[in-house]
Amino acid sequence: MQNTSLIDLDRRHLIHPVTNFRAHEKRGPTILTEGKGAWLRDANGNELLDAFAGLWCVNTGYGQQSIVDVAMEQMQRLPYATGYFSFGSEPAIKLAAKLVELAPQSLKHVYFTLGGSDAVDAAIRYINYYYRALGKPDRDQFISLQRGYHGSSSVGAGLTALPVFHRNFGLPLPSQHYISSPYPYRHPQGADPQALIAASVAELRAKVAELGNDRVAAFFCEPVQGSGGVVVPPQGWLKAMSDTCRELGILFVVDEVITGFGRTGPLFACEAEGVQPDLMTLAKGLTAGYAPMGALMMSDAIYQAIAEGAGPETPVGHGQTYSAHPVSAAIGLEVLRLYHEGGLLANAQAQAPRFEQGLRDLLDHPLVGDARSRGLLGALELVTDKANKTPFDASLRIYERVGQAAAQQGVIFRAFTDGNLGFAPALCYTEAEFDLLFQRLRATLDLVLEQAEVRNALS
Ligand SMILES: Cc1ncc(COP(=O)(O)O)c(C=O)c1O
């Protein structure tokens, strides 16, 4: 049984991320105790099939002994090395070089962070510095996508375009602007990929013209929008947006915090469309969640302009105690080895059609209006009326009902408040685990459908 005093201590003292405080006090935590491969165990001894890789990060699966070994070895040898005062450590240098070797060719320099939010924050800070170094301080406006998620730092959360990250936080800032999400299921042009891409391009051009051609610093986007409900734009969308930014003379920043490290098939989603971003943010799959680490990669042109702007003596004032942490870096190197030599990328690519088909097969379920995926990143969208794509009324709290039913079925995925269900299984998933996932998922949806309020809401 779960330890009641632990639960009580959690309720009293631990603030959970993006959680309703009062609801959590009532509900209490589900304490996780162990993990192996795609499986988690909770303190009540329940075995849970994790179809969300923790928080879209444990791409290798849990319990990879070789990661534990390199972490232990690095901890014993040198648990910490500052990057300040020109100190460094072997794993951090090797990891930076490895990322430059593997990432799009445009990216030549790496700044390590602790996660994704501070990678985005670093991007914003370096971009501001860059334009001032170029003598263009008026280029201080930022554009991102509706439904985009770029973390929850005090400025980056304004590039995030999800209402709960703004409400009562004084965001977005006047310098933060949005264009429509490339959301095929709900976009007026959604049925025709080329029309949707053209609409996004036209909207970006119009937004830049509205703000002033010399005012926009950068456009930020995710190749597949994760926390916004797993919105999968058509193939070619990312390239079209990148080409448009180049043409408009604004920086193109790709946030691959979720899509990086094999989540959508290739190591980086940019690869699939030959996109060469000016900056790229990474985290999650970089260390597969075994230790905190993120990264900001930038082009040589940006790096050189910042270096010139600083001159020969003044430091560029951006830093963190744990930037380039040697234990996280050693883990990152081993995780990268597992993606390639350990066969994880190949397995994920081989399993992706099964994952896609499994989601599509659920389109026959009365609750499911849309199924979409790229690689091992996917979603189902629940609606009350398939013809009109009507979302569930918020008062029904469909996400809570789905979450409870999923717990009963022993499966973990993300039920968003708007009726989207997000999936990001680890890259080590076997065929048998996918079969079990889809059995449990159908059973979960059936349980929800048994509820009279839910059935009555369907038209
Ligand atoms: C695309 C994207 N950017 C940034 C972040 C923020 O990363 P972190 O939670 O590590 O700060 C996330 C987290 O989910 C993300 O999905």
Side-chain angles (χ1 to χ4, degrees):
M1 278 306 283
Q2 295 216 99
N3 181 331
T4 48
S5 75
L6 257 189
I7 292 175
D8 201 39
L9 287 172
D10 178 291
R11 283 185 164 126
R12 277 192 282 152
H13 302 302
L14 188 58
I15 299 175
H16 288 248
V18 196
T19 297
N20 180 279
F21 289 10
R22 292 284 177 249
H24 181 76
E25 287 163 11
K26 248 199 250 163
R27 182 198 182 279
T30 301
I31 299 170
L32 299 171
T33 54
E34 281 170 60
K36 184 77 194 156
W39 292 86
L40 284 166
R41 178 180 293 161
D42 70 18
N44 287 326
N46 296 311
E47 302 282 348
L48 305 165
L49 179 60
D50 182 0
F52 205 60
L55 195 71
W56 8 55
C57 56
V58 189
N59 290 2
T60 57
Y62 303 93
Q64 290 277 4
Q65 189 56 42
S66 65
I67 304 178
V68 177
D69 291 343
V70 297
M72 203 164 71
E73 203 269 334
Q74 184 60 43
M75 276 200 181
Q76 281 165 345
R77 183 197 298 263
L78 181 67
Y80 175 76
T82 183
Y84 281 64
F85 330 125
S86 294
F87 284 115
S89 72
E90 182 178 335
I93 296 165
K94 283 189 169 161
L95 184 59
K98 191 80 189 162
L99 286 175
V100 170
E101 180 192 321
L102 296 171
Q105 276 178 14
S106 54
L107 302 167
K108 298 291 185 223
H109 306 270
V110 186
Y111 176 78
F112 285 113
T113 63
L114 281 70
S117 295
D118 49 341
V120 169
D121 188 63
I124 297 168
R125 275 172 65 73
Y126 283 124
I127 289 170
N128 283 330
Y129 198 109
Y130 165 76
Y131 281 117
R132 280 164 182 76
L134 291 182
K136 298 179 181 173
D138 289 345
R139 278 207 183 259
D140 58 359
Q141 304 293 302
F142 289 78
I143 303 174
S144 57
L145 292 172
Q146 295 286 359
R147 289 184 169 263
Y149 186 65
H150 300 289
S152 72
S153 72
S154 54
V155 177
L159 296 179
T160 290
L162 301 172
V164 297
F165 290 85
H166 297 170
R167 184 171 175 267
N168 292 344
F169 286 108
L171 292 171
L173 301 174
S175 58
Q176 297 174 323
H177 313 274
Y178 314 113
I179 60 171
S180 305
S181 165
Y183 193 171
Y185 184 59
R186 297 208 172 271
H187 197 284
Q189 311 287 353
D192 176 353
Q194 290 317 315
L196 195 157
I197 292 172
S200 279
V201 166
E203 220 187 314
L204 180 59
R205 283 187 201 287
K207 184 57 82 180
V208 171
E210 174 197 325
L211 297 170
N213 284 334
D214 299 331
R215 292 301 311 277
V216 178
F219 172 65
F220 278 66
C221 67
E222 300 154 87
V224 172
Q225 295 190 288
S227 301
V230 190
V231 171
V232 186
Q235 297 280 1
W237 179 88
L238 194 67
K239 180 83 171 92
M241 298 312 272
S242 142
D243 289 349
T244 307
C245 286
R246 195 119 310 154
E247 197 187 305
L248 293 169
I250 65 180
L251 295 175
F252 183 63
V253 190
V254 174
D255 187 341
E256 290 233 31
V257 165
I258 288 178
T259 54
F261 304 104
R263 176 53 60 207
T264 67
L267 193 64
F268 300 109
C270 279
E271 262 175 53
E273 300 187 15
V275 168
Q276 302 284 335
D278 297 300
L279 299 106
M280 178 158 88
T281 47
L282 300 170
K284 296 195 188 272
L286 172 59
T287 50
Y290 280 64
M293 183 174 243
L296 169 68
M297 301 190 70
M298 66 174 73
S299 71
D300 193 51
I302 296 174
Y303 173 87
Q304 296 302 343
I306 291 173
E308 287 305 309
E313 277 166 25
T314 317
V316 177
H318 185 70
Q320 291 148 308
T321 302
Y322 299 123
S323 176
H325 194 283
V327 177
S328 299
I331 288 173
L333 282 169
E334 175 57 16
V335 166
L336 279 173
R337 195 191 68 76
L338 289 174
Y339 289 140
H340 290 108
E341 291 162 43
L344 287 172
L345 279 187
N347 183 62
Q349 287 162 9
Q351 297 292 341
R354 179 176 292 264
F355 177 60
E356 183 179 15
Q357 192 57 48
L359 291 172
R360 292 199 154 280
D361 287 348
L362 283 162
L363 279 169
D364 68 4
H365 195 279
L367 295 175
V368 178
D370 191 30
R372 49 188 184 254
S373 65
R374 185 160 297 157
L376 294 187
L377 182 55
L380 296 175
E381 184 155 346
L382 307 187
V383 292
T384 58
D385 174 350
K386 296 194 191 206
N388 293 309
K389 306 181 180 178
T390 314
F392 275 86
D393 193 273
S395 64
L396 259 178
R397 303 169 85 84
I398 193 72
Y399 61 99
E400 260 178 31
R401 295 168 190 271
V402 173
Q404 281 161 8
Q408 281 180 40
Q409 291 299 321
V411 59
I412 297 177
F413 53 87
R414 179 144 173 200
F416 295 96
T417 50
D418 62 359
N420 277 308
L421 311 182
F423 303 90
L427 276 51
C428 63
Y429 250 61
T430 61
E431 282 178 21
E433 284 164 344
F434 274 114
D435 291 347
L436 193 60
L437 165 62
F438 288 113
Q439 269 170 32
R440 290 188 177 187
L441 197 48
R442 189 173 283 277
T444 298
L445 296 174
D446 287 346
L447 272 181
V448 174
L449 190 60
E450 277 173 18
Q451 299 176 17
E453 301 95 315
V454 173
R455 267 202 322 280
N456 291 342
L458 300 189
S459 11

